[in-house]
Amino acid sequence: GPLWERPLMEVRLGELHTWISTCNFSPQGLLAAVQRAWSSYCAKYIHVKQGGPAGISMLLAGYCLLSYGWNYQHLKRHRWRKYH
Amino acid sequence: MLSRLVLRAAPAALRALPPPVAVGVLHTTRPLHTTRQSLAPVPPLPEKGGEVRHGLIPEEFFQFLYPKTGVTGPYMLGTGLLLYLLSKEIYVVNHETAAAACILTVIVYAIKKFGPEVAAFADKLNEEKVATAVAMKDEAIQTLQTAIEEEKKEQWRAEGRSYLFDAKRNNVAMLLETNYRERLLMVYSEVKKRLDYQVAMQTLKRQKEQDHMIQWVEKNVVQSITPQQQKESIAKCIVDLKALSKGAHAAV
């Protein structure tokens, strides 16, 4: 289909900036984008008849990574080496 | 997968809708009661979710890297990344690392050991729910089927109404006939009674007249017998008796 209707995964690398320019960056647009992403994730991994640990484990892993990133400045002080 | 397609098509459908319309004082974003979307029947849930390798990385990532790097590409990428993070100490090894390692070991062991049983239990619960719903549906269908058969039977029965009406017509005709004959009989008996009455009257009258006349004649005759005639008749009787007695004596 046309460029502005394709989801992010199906946009080629060269068309990326064009695609971003067609995005709706108003609060409602961002909220709608977040809603869409969450709905597609749920529909793919959680609302199935035989889901496994994958649905929640990916969420938990993402949470771990995010929290590591948020606390990085504090964790940096527990390094073992002085020079890298 | 189907729900993913539906959700992918939703933004396109939303953008294709007409702009907000003011219907009276009610602002609506879609024409009321003319939508083609139908909420029932709801499409069934997909059987299995998206493929995930090692519980963490979706299969699409491996397929994305396969054309360029083959099968070991993502693993090499992962190893290289891990070594880089460790050596540059972007990921710092501290007490939390040990705790995380122990917790992850326990979790993975528990999932591997008890996963299938929990999955079977959940499946059984779902099966029961679906079975009750299906049983209700089947029962409803069965009831309607029996109702249909009953209805057909009633229709077949209604076809015999011509016989019923014939029988009723015969009944009515017989009743009329019976009534008619009863009335004929009544008429006949009434007429006969009247005629008998007349006949009885006539015989009575004649008899009365006869009796009266006989009495009158007798009375007159008796009155007409004068004493003179009475003596003559008695004398004649005595003479006759004497003659008779003579004859009887002679016979003896």
Side-chain angles (χ1 to χ4, degrees):
Chain A
L3 179 60
W4 57 89
E5 280 178 359
R6 265 184 271 163
L8 182 54
M9 280 300 167
E10 293 172 16
V11 171
R12 293 168 168 270
L13 216 59
E15 305 165 346
L16 195 59
H17 67 278
T18 329
W19 186 86
I20 287 187
S21 68
T22 64
C23 256
N24 181 13
F25 285 112
S26 69
Q28 293 97 330
L30 285 176
L31 201 64
V34 168
Q35 185 80 11
R36 271 201 310 271
W38 176 248
S39 298
S40 52
Y41 177 80
C42 276
K44 187 166 179 196
Y45 292 105
I46 299 186
H47 296 322
V48 291
K49 277 190 195 157
Q50 285 178 347
I56 326 168
S57 74
M58 281 201 284
L59 285 173
L60 288 176
Y63 170 68
C64 288
L65 287 176
L66 264 181
S67 68
Y68 189 86
W70 285 333
N71 295 337
Y72 184 63
Q73 293 301 319
H74 172 74
L75 287 167
K76 212 164 59 166
R77 296 185 207 149
H78 294 280
R79 278 177 176 169
W80 292 56
R81 294 176 73 108
K82 194 169 169 196
Y83 304 109
H84 293 100
Chain B
M1 291 309 218
L2 292 171
S3 42
R4 200 160 58 126
L5 284 170
V6 165
L7 285 164
R8 286 250 173 98
L14 277 172
R15 279 192 210 124
L17 284 175
V21 165
V23 178
V25 294
L26 185 69
H27 282 260
T28 56
T29 49
R30 60 185 171 100
L32 295 169
H33 299 302
T34 57
T35 175
R36 276 184 310 235
Q37 279 181 334
S38 66
L39 296 170
V42 175
L45 289 176
E47 279 293 328
K48 296 188 76 65
E51 280 288 321
V52 171
R53 219 188 269 204
H54 303 300
L56 277 182
I57 306 155
E59 192 67 30
E60 280 87 3
F61 185 65
F62 292 85
Q63 298 305 322
F64 177 66
L65 289 180
Y66 181 77
K68 296 286 194 239
T69 57
V71 176
T72 52
Y75 294 108
M76 295 310 296
L77 176 66
T79 315
L81 211 69
L82 196 63
L83 287 176
Y84 164 67
L85 291 176
L86 281 173
S87 74
K88 283 288 195 187
E89 280 208 298
I90 297 176
Y91 177 70
V92 180
V93 175
N94 50 6
H95 61 286
E96 287 175 11
T97 314
C102 299
I103 291 174
L104 278 178
T105 317
V106 168
I107 287 179
V108 167
Y109 174 74
I111 287 181
K112 285 266 187 291
K113 191 150 161 111
F114 302 116
E117 291 171 8
V118 171
F121 176 71
D123 281 345
K124 195 158 70 78
L125 287 179
N126 260 359
E127 280 286 311
E128 281 167 15
K129 277 192 223 168
V130 166
T132 31
V134 165
M136 265 170 50
K137 182 187 86 158
D138 282 342
E139 196 183 314
I141 288 181
Q142 196 59 38
T143 331
L144 289 172
Q145 286 274 24
T146 28
I148 287 176
E149 279 165 21
E150 294 274 314
E151 184 64 31
K152 284 210 165 73
K153 200 158 178 197
E154 289 297 317
Q155 283 177 353
W156 169 79
R157 277 193 194 142
E159 283 173 16
R161 63 182 179 270
S162 62
Y163 300 116
L164 188 69
F165 294 155
D166 279 343
K168 287 197 176 189
R169 237 178 267 133
N170 283 349
N171 277 0
V172 167
M174 267 201 278
L175 277 176
L176 286 173
E177 186 76 20
T178 317
N179 205 4
Y180 173 66
R181 287 193 188 183
E182 276 177 1
R183 287 198 205 158
L184 269 186
L185 188 66
M186 192 165 71
V187 162
Y188 163 78
S189 57
E190 286 291 311
V191 165
K192 186 157 181 310
K193 273 200 294 192
R194 277 161 181 64
L195 290 175
D196 284 344
Y197 172 72
Q198 295 294 328
V199 163
M201 281 284 286
Q202 282 180 359
T203 34
L204 182 68
K205 196 167 170 190
R206 188 166 301 158
Q207 197 167 345
K208 284 284 179 238
E209 283 174 355
Q210 277 182 349
D211 286 345
H212 184 258
M213 200 169 290
I214 290 172
Q215 262 186 352
W216 187 76
V217 164
E218 279 181 6
K219 197 166 78 170
N220 276 357
V221 163
V222 166
Q223 273 180 353
S224 72
I225 296 178
T226 57
Q228 175 69 29
Q229 274 181 321
Q230 208 169 358
K231 275 186 202 160
E232 284 179 11
S233 62
I234 286 176
K236 184 149 191 312
C237 288
I238 291 172
V239 168
D240 282 334
L241 274 171
K242 278 186 189 164
L244 272 172
S245 75
K246 278 183 194 162
H249 272 300
V252 168

